[in-house]
Amino acid sequence: MPLTIVACVKQVPDSWAEKRLLDIDSTLDRESADPVLNELDEYAIEEALRIREAQGEDGSEVVVLCMGPERATDTIRKALSMGADRAIHVVDDQLHGSDAVATSAALTRALGTTQWDLAVFGSESTDARMSVVPAMVAERLALPQLTFAQKVEVDTAGRSATVHRQTDDGYDIVSAALPVVISVVEKINEPRYPSFKNIMAAKKKPLETLDVAALGLDPAEVGLAGAWSAVEAFEQRPPRQGGVKITDEGDGATKIADYLVGQKML
Amino acid sequence: MSEILVLVEHDGGAAKKVSHELLTLASRHGEPGAVVVGPGADDAGLAADLARFGAARIYTAPDAALVSAIVAPKVAVLAQLMAERSPAAVLIASTAEGKEIAGRLAVRTGSGVITDAVDIDAGLTAVQSVFGGSTVVRSRVTTGTPIVTVRPNATAQQESAGAGEVVAVSVELAATDTAAAVVEHVVQAKGGRPELAEAAIVVSGGRGVGSAEGFDLVERLADALGGAVGASRAATDAGFYPHQYQVGQTGKTVSPQLYIALGISGAIQHRAGMQTSKTIVAVNKDAEAPIFDLADFGVVGDLFAIAPQLTEQVESRKG
C-alpha cells in the first residue's frame, strides 16, 4: 500500500549569521539574515524521500508542509527540488508571532487536510531551538511520537515504524503503529543536492496554500496575541571579551595549569 | 506558600544534579513538590536526597509501565498532579526528553511553555540566554500554569531541608500514552564520564584534533579533570566523534564552570553552544582563530604537544 510521508519544514535565518530580536514586538529579526531552509529539516526531507524510495514505484509520495510568510515559498521550492512531490504552505499574516503551541495547532490542522502515514520533522529549528513542536503535534493528534531518531525503519506490511531514539548514553529502540510523528537528528543521513532536472521540475509541482480561515482556526488562537507566553523585556549582552593569549614555548601546558590553579579549578 | 512541581531525573537510586538545581530554584519561589516516575521512584535514599534539597512533598509513581514508552506517560503523571494540586508552576530539566514532556504537557493542560530558562525571577518570570548568550530575554507564561524547562548548570544547587512527605501516585494511562513503546535501551557511552549538559568541566575537540584517534588526547584530559567530552560540528561532521556529543548551534548547549577547546576555531556555530561557560580555555595553532576572542586563557600552539602535557600536570597536581 502506498505511503504518504509529510516532511515538515521551516524557513529560518541563516544559522551562521548573528541573530537579534526586534524592538517593536520582541520577535526574531528575520530580515537581517538570509532566509534558508532550516538545515536540520534537510535531514527530515532526505529521510522522507528515502522512505518513499524504499516503497518502490507504488505511488507513495512525499508532501512538504511549511508554515511561514510569503517568502517561505523559496524554502518550499528547495524541498521540492530535493525530490518531494507536492507542498502545502500555511501562510497568513495573522500567524506572525505564533508561539510553539499555536504553531503546533496550525500544523495539526494542516495535517488534517490530507491523508498521511508518517510526519517527519527535523529535531529542532535553528532559530527558536525549542524542539517541542513534533511532540505537541503528536499530543494534539493523540498519535505516537518517534522523536530524535538517528535511524528509521518502516514496516509497510505490518503498518509500523521503529526508530533508534538518540539518548545521552546511546539510543532507545522505540516502536509504534502508523500513523506516527517522527523527528530525526542531524547525521541520520546525507541530504542530497537538488539536481538541475529536479530544480526545473520543482517549479511545476503542486503547491497548495492554506490561510487561518481555511485551517478553521480562530485568529485569536494564533499570532502574537494568541501566544500563551510573552516576552516582557530583552537586552543585548556585550560580547564576551577575550583574556590572556600566550604563545606556547614548551611551557603552555604549565601556564594553563597555573591559570586553573589561580581560578581554583585545579 | 504555593507548590511548584519539579520533575526529577533519577537512575532509580540517586537524583541527577539538575534535579537538585531545580529543587533549589523551586524553593526560592514556592514549596517544592518533587515528582519521581519509574522503577526506583520509591527508593528511601532518593527520597532523603530530595528532601535534603528542599522537597516538601515527594510524589512517587514507581510503576514500570510509566517508562515503557517515551515522553507521554510522564506527561500523564504531571497532568494528573497539576489537576489535583493546582501548582503555581512546573519545572522540568531542559534535556531533549524534558523539553518534549514540557511541550506535550503544555498542550494537554492548556498552559504556556518556556524552554531553556537559565533562571527564574520574582513573579515566575523566566530568564533565557539566547543566540549564544548575546541576548537575555525575560518572558512569562500568560495562559494556564507556567511550564518551564531549566538548563542544567544554570543554578547553584543548595541544600535546604524540606519535609519530604512521600505521597504515592497511581496513574491510569490512556492507550495513546503507551503507543511509542521502548523495545530496548542500548548503552554505548564509555563509562564513568559525567553527562555533557550537566558536567562542571567540558573538554572539546575540533577539526584540529584531526582524527577519531586524536580524540584519545581529548578524552584523557577530560578524564584527568573528571569532565565530559564534547566536539565541534566540524569534528562530528568529519566522523571524529559521535554526533550526540556535538556542542553548538545544532548540538548541545553547555554552560560548565570550565570549558577547554582544543583545535576548535570558534565559528558562530560552535560559540552558540558554549559561550556562556564560566571560564573558557582555548588551544589552537592559529593565532587568528576567533575562539581567542572569547577565551579567558588562550594558548597559540600545538594541541598534540600541549594536551598530553596538561593531562600530566593535572594528574600530578591533583596529587
Side-chain angles (χ1 to χ4, degrees):
Chain A
M1 207 174 86
L3 292 178
T4 297
I5 309 117
V6 182
C8 302
V9 306
K10 183 179 182 186
Q11 186 178 58
V12 298
D14 189 347
S15 67
W16 296 82
E18 300 279 357
K19 286 188 267 290
R20 64 184 198 94
L21 297 178
L22 292 171
D23 290 323
I24 182 167
D25 63 0
S26 302
T27 62
L28 181 61
D29 179 359
R30 295 179 184 277
E31 303 295 330
S32 67
D34 287 337
V36 297
L37 168 61
N38 174 39
E39 57 181 296
L40 297 175
D41 293 343
E42 292 184 25
Y43 300 94
I45 299 164
E46 178 63 34
E47 201 59 26
L49 294 172
R50 288 182 189 201
I51 294 168
R52 182 193 68 191
E53 284 157 6
Q55 307 308 310
E57 298 290 327
D58 70 344
S60 289
E61 61 167 359
V62 173
V63 181
V64 175
L65 172 59
C66 178
M67 168 170 148
E70 206 66 57
R71 67 175 181 178
T73 315
D74 295 345
T75 287
I76 293 169
R77 290 290 172 201
K78 163 117 195 247
L80 289 171
S81 69
M82 287 175 71
D85 300 285
R86 62 184 175 95
I88 301 169
H89 185 183
V90 176
V91 53
D92 194 319
D93 289 345
Q94 296 180 100
L95 293 165
H96 170 77
S98 291
D99 62 359
V101 174
T103 301
S104 72
L107 291 176
T108 299
R109 291 291 179 99
L111 284 166
T113 65
T114 190
Q115 288 285 328
W116 54 274
D117 303 285
L118 303 104
V120 188
F121 291 75
S123 56
E124 66 181 43
S125 64
T126 59
D127 53 358
R129 301 201 64 189
M130 288 183 75
S131 269
V132 295
V133 169
M136 285 176 166
V137 169
E139 174 71 23
R140 287 182 184 279
L141 292 166
L143 288 179
Q145 63 174 90
L146 301 179
T147 42
F148 293 101
Q150 53 187 26
K151 182 180 182 189
V152 177
E153 282 170 337
V154 180
D155 175 358
T156 315
R159 299 278 306 155
S160 70
T162 301
V163 303
H164 289 187
R165 171 177 169 85
Q166 185 173 289
T167 60
D168 282 326
D169 59 4
Y171 59 89
D172 288 346
I173 302 175
V174 188
S175 198
L178 301 182
V180 293
V181 176
I182 289 176
S183 80
V184 300
V185 299
E186 197 177 8
K187 294 288 110 189
I188 184 176
N189 53 42
E190 198 62 56
R192 67 194 66 185
Y193 289 102
S195 65
F196 180 71
K197 182 169 153 259
N198 275 336
I199 291 170
M200 297 314 287
K203 293 177 180 163
K204 297 190 182 111
K205 287 177 178 170
L207 195 169
E208 179 189 359
T209 60
L210 295 171
D211 61 13
V212 166
L215 293 174
L217 281 170
D218 177 353
E221 286 176 61
V222 297
L224 262 183
W228 290 357
S229 59
V231 172
E232 288 190 331
F234 69 89
E235 56 182 318
Q236 302 275 351
R237 279 279 165 87
R240 193 176 174 125
Q241 298 294 315
V244 181
K245 181 163 83 173
I246 62 162
T247 300
D248 181 35
E249 280 158 2
D251 57 354
T254 308
K255 287 192 167 149
I256 295 174
D258 288 345
Y259 173 78
L260 295 179
V261 169
Q263 298 290 308
K264 299 194 168 55
M265 289 184 167
L266 206 62
Chain B
M1 200 150 54
S2 50
E3 188 168 25
I4 295 181
L5 296 179
V6 169
L7 179 63
V8 173
E9 298 214 355
H10 67 102
D11 64 6
K16 285 195 190 166
K17 192 173 105 216
V18 66
S19 299
H20 295 158
E21 295 169 1
L22 264 53
L23 288 170
T24 302
L25 211 47
S27 302
R28 274 184 217 152
H29 300 286
E31 198 175 50
V35 182
V36 201
V37 181
D42 48 0
D43 182 271
L46 177 57
D49 180 48
L50 296 170
R52 195 159 59 243
F53 285 90
R57 267 175 297 278
I58 300 164
Y59 301 98
T60 58
D63 186 355
L66 298 171
V67 292
S68 67
I70 60 168
V71 183
K74 288 177 181 163
V75 173
V77 174
L78 287 168
Q80 180 174 315
L81 284 169
M82 284 170 74
E84 288 172 6
R85 306 291 312 177
S86 306
V90 179
L91 304 185
I92 301 173
S94 219
T95 58
E97 176 155 291
K99 293 208 282 189
E100 292 194 314
I101 291 167
R104 283 192 88 133
L105 186 63
V107 168
R108 195 171 295 193
T109 62
S111 299
V113 59
I114 295 171
T115 61
D116 290 304
V118 294
D119 200 2
I120 292 176
D121 278 353
L124 298 172
T125 298
V127 184
Q128 293 163 296
S129 168
V130 303
F131 309 148
S134 71
T135 305
V136 175
V137 182
R138 286 165 194 282
S139 332
R140 270 164 55 88
V141 166
T142 51
T143 299
T145 305
I147 298 167
V148 182
T149 75
V150 182
R151 277 199 189 143
N153 269 342
T155 316
Q157 55 175 3
Q158 225 165 10
E159 293 192 17
S160 77
E165 179 201 342
V166 174
V167 182
V169 177
S170 76
V171 177
E172 292 279 333
L173 293 177
T176 54
D177 287 331
T178 52
V182 178
V183 182
E184 192 184 342
H185 293 286
V186 180
V187 177
Q188 295 172 310
K190 297 165 192 172
R193 283 195 199 113
E195 256 173 41
L196 187 50
E198 284 218 326
I201 298 176
V202 174
V203 183
S204 285
R207 194 195 305 272
V209 173
S211 65
E213 296 71 40
F215 261 83
D216 284 351
L217 294 179
V218 182
E219 292 186 336
R220 277 198 215 116
L221 179 56
D223 290 342
L225 288 161
V229 176
S232 71
R233 168 109 182 241
T236 57
D237 272 1
F240 299 168
Y241 217 66
H243 167 253
Q244 60 256 51
Y245 298 96
Q246 188 201 127
V247 172
Q249 168 87 63
T250 58
K252 290 213 162 71
T253 299
V254 300
S255 203
Q257 293 292 307
L258 173 62
Y259 189 88
I260 301 183
L262 301 173
I264 293 174
S265 66
I268 187 167
Q269 210 327 316
H270 189 69
R271 298 205 308 263
M274 47 67 77
Q275 201 150 233
T276 55
S277 303
K278 185 154 182 291
T279 298
I280 298 172
V281 172
V283 177
N284 200 299
K285 65 179 189 220
D286 175 9
E288 302 304 316
I291 192 82
F292 290 122
D293 297 340
L294 58 151
D296 300 286
F297 196 88
V299 179
V300 182
D302 178 10
L303 73 94
F304 295 99
I306 295 169
Q309 289 166 10
L310 183 55
T311 304
E312 259 176 52
Q313 294 259 354
V314 170
E315 278 167 350
S316 69
R317 294 194 197 205
K318 271 196 312 197

